[in-house]
Amino acid sequence: MVSSRGGYCGCCKVRLIDGEVEMVQDSLLDLPEGEILTCCTKPKTHIEIELPEE
């Protein structure tokens, strides 16, 4: 289990389907529109996410 919370590894990257999040830490990765790092955000509203396929 990885627990970095550093915003640089991308292990927690998900696609934000619906809702709003607040950035609590700057991500060190360039993310495409609609993708977030869960270690760097917290929900502002109810959210719906899509987990990456492995």
Side-chain angles (χ1 to χ4, degrees):
M1 176 166 132
V2 176
S3 180
S4 75
R5 294 193 179 264
Y8 62 89
C9 68
C11 288
C12 64
K13 180 173 65 173
V14 297
R15 191 164 82 90
L16 182 63
I17 305 289
D18 190 33
E20 292 182 47
V21 295
E22 175 184 348
M23 297 297 293
V24 294
Q25 176 179 325
D26 290 334
S27 166
L28 300 176
L29 295 177
D30 289 326
L31 297 170
E33 183 72 29
E35 289 188 352
I36 61 170
L37 296 179
T38 59
C39 72
C40 295
T41 59
K42 69 178 183 179
K44 290 175 70 174
T45 64
H46 176 80
I47 62 170
E48 181 178 340
I49 60 172
E50 180 181 294
L51 301 175
E53 293 183 23
E54 290 187 21

